[in-house]
Amino acid sequence: MNIQLRNIYRLCKAGIHFFIQIFFPLIIICICISCAPEQNELIVRGIDSYDKQQYITSITLFSAAIEADPGNAELYFYRARAEMQLDSCSNAIKDYSRAILLDKTRDEYFINRGLAKVACKSYYEAILDFDYAELLDSTNSLIYFNRAYAKESIENYPGAIEDYTTAIIMDSTNYKFYMNRGLLYSFLGDSQNAIEDFTYVISFDPKNVLAYKNRAYENIKQGNLSNAIDDYTSALNIEPLNTELYYSRAEAKIALNEFLSAAVDYTYIISLDSADATAYYNRGICYASLNIKISACDDFKRAGELGLFEAYQVIKDYCEEKVTSTQKK
């Protein structure tokens, strides 16, 4: 009898062991499968909401996904991206930090946390994140580009130039790298290098109005007024309704004593905005420089009527005929 009981016990024990080894994992798998679609749906909807710029909805969906799977680093990363779009850099930093705690091997986590810290003006801490990202992937040009901006913000200009240059070496086709370095060269008074960088931008993007404007400004600083006029003209071919460009080109023309051509630019500005008092006043100066007094005085009068009251002093000094003592007799 004891032998029979022991056999029954062995059989039961073997059955339980078989159940644990075979059926219990299957149950767990079934449970996971039943949860996976809901989890995946939250992620898909969260990303879709982000792409549609529905950032609050995106944050809500990723928060729900995090509750279901708090150990998933990607979910914190996605939520942080949405938080950044709502200018919530402090919340984004917290979520990027959670993602990093869960996975320290992803350079994009450190890059994005660095960008969030830049947005929060924590530039030194941002640089540390970019440094760590560089350790993970020293070939990523965006690391150097973003770190350059952070260094520029703390006035480490040599370091910023070095990082912009490294970014360009890593990816010489990204015109934004040249643009930022050119702007820094401009700020530092290095017009020649700035012009070269803006020229690179134009070679990559011939319709980049900002590059033409920046190069024109550097040409003016170097006294190359004709080149500046050409740049403003190229920019105007792209944006023919940009009054700022007409103003800048007209000023360059005046510096070359091309008053009639400058007057044409002011005339075009007036055609775009008949209430632009400054355009009338400046055109009046051009006409006065050409000794076209009647037209000049008409423009000064119109400028005064539109609220540019300093024009009345010019009218008094230039337009009103002074009566001499001989004429009085």
Side-chain angles (χ1 to χ4, degrees), residues 4-20:
Q4 289 179 334
L5 288 173
R6 279 199 295 270
N7 288 335
I8 293 170
Y9 172 76
R10 289 194 192 97
L11 288 171
C12 290
K13 185 176 180 181
I16 292 170
H17 183 69
F18 180 78
F19 175 82
I20 292 173

Side-chain angles (χ1 to χ4, degrees), residues 181-251:
R181 189 176 69 172
L183 289 169
L184 182 52
Y185 276 135
S186 175
F187 175 78
L188 296 173
D190 188 348
S191 291
Q192 188 55 47
N193 275 321
I195 288 172
E196 290 179 9
D197 276 348
F198 297 139
T199 301
Y200 273 114
V201 174
I202 291 166
S203 69
F204 291 124
D205 184 12
K207 293 189 178 297
N208 194 310
V209 171
L210 183 58
Y212 286 111
K213 285 174 59 180
N214 291 335
R215 190 171 70 175
Y217 177 69
E218 298 305 319
N219 276 316
I220 288 173
K221 288 199 295 185
Q222 288 201 320
N224 300 324
L225 296 172
S226 295
N227 289 344
I229 291 170
D230 290 341
D231 278 338
Y232 287 130
T233 300
S234 296
L236 281 165
N237 288 335
I238 302 166
E239 294 184 1
L241 302 181
N242 190 326
T243 57
E244 179 189 348
L245 293 173
Y246 283 105
Y247 267 112
S248 297
R249 187 173 70 174
E251 289 175 7

Side-chain angles (χ1 to χ4, degrees), residues 10 17 35 50 54 92 109 177 185 193 207 247 252 261 270 298 322:
R10 289 194 192 97
H17 183 69
C35 293
Y50 180 90
Q54 299 168 351
Y109 291 178
F177 299 169
Y185 276 135
N193 275 321
K207 293 189 178 297
Y247 267 112
S261 183
I270 291 168
D298 286 344
K322 295 181 180 178

Side-chain angles (χ1 to χ4, degrees), residues 18-32:
F18 180 78
F19 175 82
I20 292 173
Q21 280 191 320
I22 304 299
F23 289 103
F24 186 72
L26 290 174
I27 293 171
I28 297 298
I29 291 170
C30 290
I31 292 172
C32 291

Side-chain angles (χ1 to χ4, degrees), residues 66-124:
I66 287 169
E67 286 185 16
D69 186 8
N72 189 329
E74 285 283 293
L75 300 177
Y76 296 101
F77 175 73
Y78 286 132
R79 187 170 70 177
R81 289 173 63 220
E83 288 164 340
M84 279 296 292
Q85 296 298 326
L86 296 177
D87 297 324
S88 183
C89 60
S90 57
N91 286 337
I93 289 170
K94 292 176 184 177
D95 271 344
Y96 285 132
S97 296
R98 293 186 184 105
I100 288 168
L101 283 173
L102 293 167
D103 186 355
K104 294 182 174 65
T105 66
R106 303 285 291 275
D107 65 304
E108 63 264 34
Y109 291 178
F110 288 95
I111 293 171
N112 279 272
R113 188 173 70 173
L115 290 171
K117 288 177 178 178
V118 167
C120 281
K121 299 184 178 180
S122 299
Y123 302 115
Y124 289 97

